[in-house]
Amino acid sequence: MNWQQRDKQVIWHPYTQHQSSQLPITIVRGEGTCLFDEYGNKYIDAISSWWVNIHGHSHPYIAQKVYEQFCTLEHSIFAGFTHPPAITLAERLLAILPNNQQKVFYSDNGSTAVEVALKMAIQYWVNRGEKRPKILALKNAYHGDTFGAMAVSGRSAFTQAFDELLFDVEFIDLPTAENLESLKSKVYSLRSQLAAFIFEPLVQGAAGMVMYEAALLDELLQHCKQCNIITIADEVMTGFGRTGKLFAMHHVHQQPDIMCLSKGITGGVMALGVTTCSEPIFEAFLSSDYTKTLFHGHSFTANPLACAAALASLDLLLADTCTTQIAGISTRHTAYKAKLESNKAVAQVRTLGTILAIELKSDETTNYFNSMRDKCAAFFIPKGILLRPLGNIIYVIPPYCITEQELDAVYTAIDEFITFVID
Ligand code: PMP
């Protein structure tokens, strides 16, 4: 039996119908921007393996630091115990996050970072003796696959089987210049019930890299603050340079009360979740009354190997080379966007920092299950390019180390797809 046949017998892949005849590609090696399969075929990872990888695969510096940590301490309980990588990472993160962020809570992925944030916000009000039973979120949001994260995400085929079990959430449209005042009135009228407002700042990833204006987000956040609603910035996708700044919240003036981080935090090499919060949030849990405790702790909370990977990734991220790489991708995306905009097959092109999204015209109701998705996968993989469109939206989110030639190859393949497949 080969790898694919063995895989099919024992593995249940995410986002794949189990009976699908499509065989998964067996990746055996990664280097720089590329993944290599068992036959030596090379794929440019133009989506950073689900948006996580920022410095390239199997990065020797991160590998060395994780190895050194492994030889020293691979894991220890984090309740009542601590360790240097977790402390140093917390200090270094707080130094680069919006400066009201004062405490770091570790977990182990993006969904759990969101769960922790929601629990912090809800219990904040409970601990203060106030009843704030509802959460406010943006329509079509995606915050993860656990139950709380699903509840604050847009209702879709992804959540359908569980909809009755998800707690009630107030959803509002993305802010636009036209609707901002009506959104503000809605928030105002609901203010006494709302524990928190959770949002993906500036870019809604899974919705199709949908972007909205920083100035509008700023105004909405300011309004939430005036209404005394806790704000939660889910930077799981946008964090660590993705939007051209270290964090998307650096594009706005308002500071969130709570932030969620994951994906690129370790350079995308290991699972780690982080929820940070301001001092007032933390203080609401300080009490001799044990019922005020935030009872949340995963076995692998603050895993030292993941923390070591994150520290190594930060070293690389904060170096001038990486800043130049991010700026370079951003400039090239902007130029490519200008070129594509006149293409009659293209409905809209969006870009921010290292993120590029090309929405293709389609007669189908445009959603995740648009047939363009399968056409696209079949087209790019034989060309050695890993792109995984969201319905009729092709997006590029490369590792920052992508070379000019590799990025050219991605753009050229997209051009060919638009010309030969769509036209
Ligand atoms: N929040 C956002 C904004 C995300 O994009 C994602 C994952 N795509 C998550 C949360 C969930 O992260 P994870 O897959 O690590 O659970």
Side-chain angles (χ1 to χ4, degrees):
M1 260 199 292
N2 67 20
W3 284 114
Q4 279 93 357
Q5 288 160 339
R6 285 166 62 183
D7 172 283
K8 216 163 175 61
Q9 296 214 329
V10 290
I11 295 185
W12 183 344
H13 286 271
Y15 294 76
T16 306
Q17 278 165 297
H18 205 44
Q19 298 310 318
S20 153
S21 58
Q22 235 187 347
L23 292 173
I25 296 166
T26 310
I27 297 300
V28 293
R29 191 166 76 80
E31 186 182 340
T33 315
C34 294
L35 294 169
F36 297 84
D37 72 15
E38 58 185 322
Y39 307 108
N41 297 314
K42 179 167 117 173
Y43 305 92
I44 298 174
D45 187 356
I47 57 160
S48 297
S49 282
W50 256 348
W51 325 342
V52 300
N53 192 292
I54 59 176
H55 305 300
H57 291 280
S58 307
H59 196 289
Y61 179 72
I62 302 179
Q64 180 62 32
K65 292 292 182 183
V66 171
Y67 173 73
E68 285 168 16
Q69 183 58 48
F70 206 128
C71 299
T72 314
L73 172 70
E74 89 303 351
H75 188 63
S76 75
I77 182 174
F78 205 65
F81 290 80
T82 190
H83 49 72
I87 299 166
T88 314
L89 179 59
E91 288 169 350
R92 289 189 65 187
L93 285 174
L94 294 178
I96 56 173
L97 286 167
N99 65 13
N100 71 330
Q101 299 300 295
Q102 295 291 318
K103 287 285 184 294
V104 169
F105 192 103
Y106 287 106
S107 62
D108 40 32
N109 59 61
S111 303
T112 57
V114 168
E115 294 292 333
V116 170
L118 294 171
K119 286 171 78 170
M120 274 181 186
I122 292 164
Q123 196 177 340
Y124 170 89
W125 295 109
V126 172
N127 284 1
R128 289 166 52 109
E130 286 187 50
K131 226 177 152 138
R132 297 270 195 135
K134 280 196 171 166
I135 305 284
L136 182 71
L138 293 174
K139 280 186 191 157
N140 299 320
Y142 177 80
H143 294 289
D145 287 342
T146 48
F147 267 77
M150 272 199 292
V152 292
S153 299
R155 301 291 182 268
S156 69
F158 288 35
T159 61
Q160 197 176 315
F162 317 103
D163 281 354
E164 283 185 13
L165 298 171
L166 302 179
F167 57 75
D168 257 359
V169 169
E170 288 291 338
F171 288 103
I172 53 171
D173 287 320
L174 278 193
T176 63
E178 292 72 39
N179 72 8
L180 187 64
E181 287 311 312
S182 73
L183 296 187
K184 281 162 69 176
S185 329
K186 179 162 180 183
V187 171
Y188 187 79
S189 63
L190 291 167
R191 69 192 186 287
S192 60
Q193 299 174 53
L194 293 175
F197 169 46
I198 184 166
F199 57 98
E200 293 161 272
L202 306 191
V203 189
Q204 288 191 302
M209 302 298 153
V210 174
M211 299 180 186
Y212 61 105
E213 290 290 319
L216 299 170
L217 175 61
D218 230 356
E219 210 173 320
L220 195 54
L221 293 179
Q222 190 178 21
H223 185 65
C224 287
K225 196 176 216 166
Q226 282 158 1
C227 294
N228 205 13
I229 298 164
I230 292 172
T231 55
I232 305 173
D234 176 354
E235 291 240 24
V236 167
M237 192 277 282
T238 51
F240 302 98
R242 271 292 162 217
T243 65
K245 297 194 187 240
L246 276 182
F247 296 96
M249 288 308 292
H250 288 160
H251 292 271
V252 301
H253 301 295
Q254 292 298 315
Q255 301 188 324
D257 301 296
I258 299 177
M259 292 181 77
C260 307
L261 309 171
S262 188
K263 290 195 188 276
I265 190 170
T266 59
V269 310
M270 294 183 74
L272 181 66
V274 158
T275 309
T276 64
C277 70
S278 63
E279 196 62 36
I281 300 284
F282 177 68
E283 278 170 11
F285 292 80
L286 286 181
S287 168
S288 51
D289 174 357
Y290 73 90
T291 64
K292 296 203 165 159
T293 311
L294 180 65
F295 285 110
H296 194 109
H298 296 277
S299 314
F300 285 98
T301 297
N303 173 253
L305 302 178
C307 292
L311 287 166
S313 177
L314 270 186
D315 290 343
L316 299 172
L317 180 71
L318 300 177
D320 289 345
T321 320
C322 193
T323 312
T324 312
Q325 286 170 336
I326 292 171
I329 297 170
S330 184
T331 307
R332 301 212 55 210
H333 277 352
T334 307
Y336 185 53
K337 171 180 187 269
K339 184 184 152 204
L340 276 183
E341 259 160 354
S342 55
N343 193 305
K344 59 183 185 327
V346 172
Q348 196 190 40
V349 190
R350 305 182 274 274
T351 184
L352 182 66
T354 67
I355 307 170
L356 171 76
I358 303 153
E359 188 163 336
L360 299 172
K361 286 184 185 154
S362 165
D363 294 334
E364 297 171 44
T365 44
T366 51
N367 68 19
Y368 185 82
F369 301 101
N370 191 292
S371 64
M372 201 92 77
R373 190 176 63 131
D374 298 330
K375 264 196 215 166
C376 215
F379 184 86
F380 289 111
I381 288 295
K383 289 186 180 298
I385 291 169
L386 170 49
L387 283 172
R388 231 183 107 86
L390 291 154
N392 60 322
I393 297 157
I394 302 178
Y395 66 90
V396 182
I397 298 193
Y400 306 151
C401 61
I402 192 166
T403 64
E404 292 209 355
Q405 293 81 346
E406 286 167 338
L407 199 49
D408 276 339
V410 175
Y411 292 155
T412 306
I414 294 174
D415 284 341
E416 287 172 3
F417 180 74
I418 296 174
T419 312
F420 299 120
V421 181
I422 309 290
D423 264 4

